[in-house]
Structures are given as structure tokens and as C-alpha cells.
Amino acid sequence: MRKTLLLFLIICSKLVSAQLIDDFSDGDFTSSPKWSGTVNYFRVSNGYLQSNGPQASSTLYLSTSNTLAAAAVWEFYLKLSFDPSTTNYPRIYLVSNKEDLSSTSDMQAYYLQLGSPSNAENFFLVKQNGTTSTTLLNLPDKPRSNANAVTVRVRVERDLNGHWDIYTDFTGGRNFTFDGSVIDNTFISTSYFGVYCRYSTGNRFNQFYFTDFKIESYVAAPPQLLEVKSLDDQTFEVTFDKAVNASALQSSNYGLSGLGSPQKAEAGINPAKIKLSYADAVPSGNYTLTVSHIADLRNNVMPVPQVKSFLHIKKYIAKKGDVIINEIMANPKGVKGLPETEYIELWNKSDEYIIVSGWKYSKDAATKPVVLTADTLAPKQYLILCANANAPLLKPFGKAMGLASWPALTNTKANLKIYDMHDNLIDEVSYTDTWYQDAKKKSGGFSLELINPYGNCTGGANWIASIAEYGGTPGSKNSVYNDEKDTQGPQIILTTIINPRVIQIDFDKKLAAHTAINISNYVMNNGVGTPVSIELVEPLYKTVMLTFEKDLTKGIEYTLTCSNLTNCSGAEMQQGRNASKFFYAKDILPNSILISEVLFNPKVRGAEFVEIYNNTEHILDLKDLKIGNADRKNDKIISNVSLFIQPKTYWVLSANIEHLKETYSVKYPDQMVKMPNMPAYNNDKGMVALYVDDKIIDSFSYHEKMHHALLKNYKGVSLERVSFNRHTNESTNWQSAAVIAGYATPTSENSQQENGILKNEVVLVSKTFSPDQDGFEDTLQINYRFKQNGNLATINIYTDKGLLVRNLIRNNSMPTQGSLEWDGLDNNGKLCKVGVYVIKFETFTAEGEVERFTKTCVLAAKLN
């Protein structure tokens, strides 16, 4: 019972001291308390009092009873889904003698209004007497995390003497900071408190939100010591929670542990901050500052001393590389989650506190360096540099310093330097837009970030576009940060001959520049020696271009040996991985490479292909070859890197080699080149051509009528070259690939080719076979050769009594030579009986020539 009574008394006391408490958690604004005014244009939504007026220029208001005007404290939370202006703004009427807040007749009021032409505004306090409005106090601008919206919590204190103090937190929390004060005691009574919404832009009708209203009696409180920080070795800044009076300028009111009172105490621009100065440099260490007898502007004096501990670091002279340029936002256009403004980020890489007062930042030689303002970087701390006007936009992301004269960053390239106060170079970066390594990000909206601040690689080798969701990481760890030490040295992955004197070497890792450009680190055999010049290719630093004094000789193999090359972590290239052999192929001349087979009318969802043949006795490089058609605009490069074709081998070019492997028998799959796309080849007729520069190596004008006369469907059937000794465009030099060969022979000898024999032949390898699966003569092998191509064949098998048991093939086109097998099964899939069988092999050509062969064999079995 006692506990219940105590709780009741506590609640009652709070109700007595508070004139208004409303957070709209009851979902209503028509009672407890009752709000009046343009009630049809407001609603309660998710704990907010939300405007809901006409979608045209309007003035809305609500007011509720309140009699607390002197010795009062007001608190409220405001959210706007737009940037307030001089025509779209809210007012909070703290004091009003009128229920109708839109009235001006005999109005006596104080209100706060938010809205100005800038994005970084704050409230101003206004006294309204009838039609006359007088601005009493303009609060200093404060940054917002979103320039197109407002989220703020406000606390206003007024004592009996008319002394007003205003505090705000533009994050919506309760970390209030003192913004300003003024004395005015014109109106000391009130009847109403309320909100007022004015908008001239129609879509603002529902974008005003209010909640957490509280009005209570003011209780005097002395200033509180919030923070002490070092400005330099002799000067400290003391921050109170509110403005303080002249008592704060008495040096005797301060005492630093071990050192006593300062030589001088001075006020700054902010009346809540005091600067303490000592005659001598204060050593580094942990200190405690004791403050006493300090009063606020209302003469509320600290009743007892207050203390604050802090760490002081004595000035450290930075060395080159202690502070580095860590991030560059040169092209903020289209940035997603950050302010659309340029910035660079510095990072204190050292373990020391570094004072940057008097340091200079420059962009390019012709730009005058800009001096940095007084500040200290803690170990591993970031500092964002930007234009003065943009500093409030970037401060929510970390320590930001606005520069009075910001040299605009160019999108393509610039040289950035940081100097200390004595003009000693601390860091330098000469960026280019190739460093982004991403064409889309290069166009804007993403910063350049340093990858490894501890590595040996410089320039584009150690920078890349940010992968952060918002396009950059100002004030925090880079999204691409990687300080892992790579202990495996670089290795050559590709050697390319650019011209007779220049070769390109590609490595698997980024190279440290000072090792990569050392001429003595490269040696070529066969009397070539070291290069005369080296180019390390940006931005990846994984490629070097070596230029030699004399031409390399074609047709021989070379070995390049590298030494002392290291990666960005300093790991050196290992023996056994430091040499590259490469072949310098001879030139491709006309008829060196010939067109061997063409599939120009593939099956549905199939793939075209062209087969080429190395007609020489030496290795050739397909990198020098292009494939096209009659329209030279459609030429395609076969390979961007060296691709060697051995003598007398067949290679297939296609955009879909996987489909070819699934559809046809591919004997040498490693001799297939996957093209990004092929030249256009019509299904009825066209031309296939091979070029080196503008020189034709071979060309073939095809027509579907070149297929076998008895072939009814051309889809999926290739045309094969019969002879490499005859001209490519002889019409009789091409024939349909044989059915037996699967209608195409990619990567292997053509099924239709000249073999030089004088007559057709059919031969049984053995006249006896036993299909008992013992591994010996389990099938009957039938070999054949034809003196000309384009033959069709029918093969039937009979018993010695003339009974047909198997149709082996029927009217199939045949290669000029090949083999067939009979497994001893009949047409029903059953094993034939032991006995003598007759093979009748009949061939005929499109011209009507017929030839018949009869062979006998014995199907045998083991005796038990």
C-alpha cells in the first residue's frame, strides 16, 4: 500500500510540473490534450502528428491550452520530408495569447521558425506583436545528414528574467548542443502552444511531422563541464554544456593536475568554450582538469568543483608517409549515399598524434597551396578535406575540415600534394581516371580508394574505385582496404610479341615499380641481351613492355629470364618461375593457312563453324589472322594473344564450341577456338575469307548447291574440302561431309578427300569373328576406299541361304575411306547363329555409277 501511494505521489508531482506532455501514442489529438484549429488537415500516424492539408498553397495550424510562459522549458521533435525554405516552413508557437495561430490581430507570441534559402539553416526565435514580427535570435547553421530533409529535437529554456537558451540535436536524439541565448521579457503570460505549417509547394501537404511535445517548469542548473582537449602543447580547450559568464575567464578557477592554474583563460566565438594557455609546453600524459566557481549567463554557479580527465599528446614532427592521401572523390556526379561534393581523405598511418596546423594542400603545380586550419590527428584517424561550404555536409561521416579556397579536382587526372608547415613533402598522389579500373564507375559517383597503405606499390597499382554501397568511405576504413602481406613472388603468365623489337610481359601480380623498370632485371637469350627501355603499364602495374636494340628472328624459340622483380609486398620472384619461353612465328602468307571445312547452315539452335588447316611445315601464329566475309567491316580477330597452330593440323573457329562437341565427333578438342562471335554467313550462299592485314590468305565462295545432289536437308551438314592441292574455289573441290562421319569432321581429316587410288576397294580385315565379348575378333571389320568422293552406299548381310538378317547401312553418304563393323546382331537385335554369312556392299554416285562388292565371312563360337 505504501509503495502504491508513493508511485501515485510521484506521478502527481510530474503532472503538476508538466503543463503539456503529448507523444500521440494514443492515436488521437482531439482529447488528452485537445488540439484545435484546422483539425481536418491533420492526422496521427505512427506516433506523429502529421499534416494532411490541401495539395495547394496553404497555411495549417493546431493549438492547445498552455499557461506556462515564464520559468518554462519547451521540448519537441520535428521531422520534415523536404528542405524548408522561406515559403515552405514550420513554426512552433511557444507562447501565444490567441488560439488561432494564423491571426495577427492583437497577437502576442513567441515562436521558432525553420526555413531559409540555404541547406544548412537553423531556427530563429521571433517575437510577434500584432502584425509586427521581430527576430530576436538567429541560431547558427548546423549540418544535416540529408540536405533534403530535417530531423531535429529542440529544447528551449526561459527563466523568470526573460533569459532564453536554445539547444538542438539535428540527429533527433538528446545530445543537445547550445546554439544561442537572448534576453526578452515582453510577454510573460500565455494561453496556448501550437504548431503552424506554411507551404506554397503542393506536394508538401503531408510532409510536416511533430511529436514528443513537453512543457514543464524551468529549474535553474549550473553549467556542466563536458570536455577538455589539447589544441597544442601549451593550449587547452574547455567546453561547457551552456554559455558561461565572465567567471570563466578567471584563471584561478581552473587547475591542471601537477601544473596548477593556466597563465590565461580566454573566451572564443562559442560562449560555451574557454581556451586555457600555459607558459611552457605540457608534457604528454593523462591529466585531470578541476573547474570551480563557474557560472552561466543566468549566474547559476557550480556548487561544487567539477573534474574531467583527458589525454594530452605533445607535438610530434611528422615524417614523409606518416599521413597519406587515402581517398579521392574527384567526380561526385551521381553519387548514391554521400553528399554530391568533392573531397580528399587523409589518414594518419602512424601511431603518433599529429598536429596539422599550418599544413598545406595543393593540386597541380599551377595551383596555389591552401593552408589547413588548426587540428590534431590521432593515430589511425581520418581527416576529410573539402570546400568550406561543404564541410557541414561531410562532418556526419567523420572529421571534416573545410578549406577557404578549394582547388576543384579534375575528373581525368591531377597531382595532389600534402606539405607540413615547413614545406616538407608528406605525401603525393598523381591520379588518373584509368585508376578506377571500371568504365562505369569512372564516369562519376565513386571515389578512388587506396588499397594497401603499407605496400611497396605506388600509383594505379595500389588504387581502385570504391566498392562501398554509397560510392565512397569518407572518414572510415576504405572498402577495398587490404594490408595482407603477399609472400609469393610474381610469375610470368603471358609473353606477347608486339613487333620485332618489342615484347609484352604479363605477370600474375602487381609489380613494385622500382624493380620493374630496372633494365638489368631482364635478359633474353640467343644474343639479344637486355632491353634498351622499359614501360610499366598503368593502372594495374602487371604488364611491362620491353624494347630491344635489334629485331628478333622469326621461326625460332626465345627464353626471357627475369631477376629481382618483387610484388607490392616485397616478395621476390622465385627461381624456376622467373623464365618464359616463347616462339616467334613466321609470317602467314597466302595459302599458308587454307579453309578446310565450313558449316554455314547449322541445325536449329546450332552453331556455325569454319575449319582451317596449316598447309606449311612450320608453326604459325593465329594472332595475326582475321576471319571475315565479303564485307570487310565484319572481320573478326581470331585471337588477341599468340595461338600457335602446328604444321598439317586442323583448327575449328566457332562461337559455340560446346555445342559442336555435343553434336559432332571432335577428335582434338584443344584445337578449337571459341570466338566471341562469328562473321555473318548466310545459309544459302556467301564467302568465307582469311586475312592478314589487308592481304587475303584464302577465300571460299560457297553455295548450298555444292552439297551432294541426293542430299535433301542441308542443315547441320558441313562442306568439306577434297584436296589442298587444288584451288579453293574449284566447285568439284568441295563435298558434303559423309553421313558415316556424322555430317561433319571438326578438327580432324575430312571424310571427303583425295587418296590417289585407282579403283574402289572393300576388304574384310578377318573373315572369321566371334561376338562372344572375349576381346578377340568380337566384331567383323569392313574397310573401304573409294577413288572419288561423294559416294553413297548400302550394305546388307545375308545367310548362306540368301536370307536377309541385317541392313547395316542404307543409302548413306560415305567418306572416301573408312571402316565399318558388324557386331553379329540381326535387325531385331538378336545374335545370329553360327555359320557362313554374305556381305553385299553396293556403292553408287550422283552420276549413276554403280559398283557391287560381295564378301563372305564366318560367325564362329567357342566349343565347350
Side-chain angles (χ1 to χ4, degrees), residues 48 77-80 114 144-146 149-153 169-173:
Y48 289 99
Y77 179 97
L78 168 67
K79 185 170 73 171
L80 304 176
L114 181 65
R144 305 198 307 260
S145 59
N146 184 351
V150 174
T151 300
V152 62
R153 192 178 295 273
D169 181 352
F170 272 82
T171 68

Side-chain angles (χ1 to χ4, degrees), residues 244-256:
V244 290
N245 64 17
S247 62
L249 302 181
Q250 296 294 320
S251 299
S252 59
N253 288 342
Y254 305 91
L256 192 62

Side-chain angles (χ1 to χ4, degrees), residues 386-686:
C386 61
N388 233 345
N390 296 324
L393 303 177
L394 288 166
K395 282 183 178 178
F397 300 91
K399 181 190 281 286
M401 179 185 292
L403 302 183
S405 176
W406 175 255
L409 298 173
T410 45
N411 296 343
T412 54
K413 64 178 180 178
N415 175 256
L416 310 181
K417 293 181 180 180
I418 297 293
Y419 300 92
D420 69 9
M421 63 187 302
H422 303 295
D423 292 330
N424 298 311
L425 182 66
I426 300 297
D427 194 32
E428 177 180 11
V429 174
S430 294
Y431 71 86
T432 71
D433 58 7
T434 61
W435 289 12
Y436 289 94
Q437 302 176 45
D438 186 303
K440 184 177 180 181
K441 292 182 178 181
K442 169 182 173 179
S443 63
F446 291 85
S447 70
L448 281 171
E449 292 185 346
L450 187 67
I451 300 170
N452 186 353
Y454 301 103
N456 292 331
C457 281
T458 58
N462 206 19
W463 290 77
I464 197 170
S466 174
I467 59 174
E469 178 184 0
Y470 296 142
T473 56
S476 59
K477 187 176 181 178
N478 287 350
S479 62
V480 300
Y481 180 90
N482 182 4
D483 65 350
E484 294 181 5
K485 188 174 179 65
D486 186 356
T487 58
Q488 187 69 50
Q491 183 177 2
I492 298 173
I493 58 175
L494 183 64
T495 303
T496 305
I497 300 171
I498 305 302
N499 62 51
R501 294 193 182 190
V502 178
I503 64 170
Q504 175 178 312
I505 313 297
D506 293 307
F507 295 85
D508 63 340
K509 301 180 181 194
K510 297 175 182 178
L511 302 176
H514 68 283
T515 66
I517 61 174
N518 190 333
I519 288 175
S520 63
N521 288 346
Y522 308 89
V523 177
M524 187 92 75
N525 69 343
N526 295 329
V528 178
T530 59
V532 294
S533 66
I534 299 173
E535 178 189 356
L536 180 59
V537 180
E538 292 193 49
L540 296 181
Y541 283 31
K542 289 184 176 181
T543 300
V544 295
M545 308 290 288
L546 306 180
T547 302
F548 293 89
E549 186 176 8
K550 60 182 181 179
D551 291 357
L552 304 183
T553 303
K554 294 182 179 180
I556 66 173
E557 185 179 70
Y558 287 91
T559 300
L560 175 73
T561 303
C562 305
S563 59
N564 303 319
L565 299 183
T566 68
N567 65 14
C568 290
S569 297
E572 190 171 331
M573 178 178 275
Q574 300 298 310
Q575 293 290 332
R577 304 179 60 187
N578 64 333
S580 173
K581 292 184 178 182
F582 62 94
F583 185 80
Y584 192 9
K586 291 185 177 181
D587 294 337
I588 297 177
L589 303 175
N591 298 319
S592 295
I593 292 181
L594 298 176
I595 300 167
S596 173
E597 186 175 353
V598 180
L599 177 62
F600 53 84
N601 188 1
K603 294 179 180 179
V604 178
R605 293 185 296 276
E608 300 174 339
F609 77 81
V610 173
E611 181 187 72
I612 59 177
Y613 174 73
N614 183 351
N615 195 38
T616 72
E617 299 296 334
H618 48 263
I619 299 171
L620 297 175
D621 191 349
L622 295 183
K623 179 176 69 70
D624 301 324
L625 195 66
K626 292 181 182 178
I627 183 170
N629 50 27
D631 181 5
R632 289 302 307 276
K633 296 179 180 178
N634 206 22
D635 289 355
K636 307 296 180 185
I637 296 172
I638 294 176
S639 177
N640 289 313
V641 298
S642 289
L643 183 60
F644 297 113
I645 178 171
Q646 298 293 323
K648 309 302 181 185
T649 58
Y650 302 81
W651 283 62
V652 167
L653 315 177
S654 176
N656 192 346
I657 61 176
E658 296 304 322
H659 183 271
L660 296 182
K661 292 176 184 178
E662 295 171 359
T663 307
Y664 303 102
S665 175
V666 178
K667 189 174 182 180
Y668 304 106
D670 290 340
Q671 294 173 195
M672 305 184 82
V673 180
K674 181 176 177 58
M675 305 281 291
N677 48 72
M678 291 286 284
Y681 296 124
N682 296 331
N683 290 345
D684 54 349
K685 63 179 178 178

Side-chain angles (χ1 to χ4, degrees), residues 111 113 123-128 132-139 182 184:
Y111 62 80
Q113 180 170 318
F123 290 91
F124 49 96
L125 179 63
V126 178
K127 176 175 66 178
Q128 183 177 353
T132 302
S133 294
T134 305
T135 299
L136 301 178
L137 180 63
N138 277 305
L139 299 184
V182 69
D184 188 278

Side-chain angles (χ1 to χ4, degrees), residues 837-856:
Y837 290 87
V838 178
I839 293 90
K840 292 190 175 181
F841 194 125
E842 184 178 49
T843 69
F844 54 94
T845 66
E847 290 76 19
E849 297 179 4
V850 179
E851 188 170 0
R852 297 179 177 86
F853 300 88
T854 302
K855 303 291 181 180
T856 59

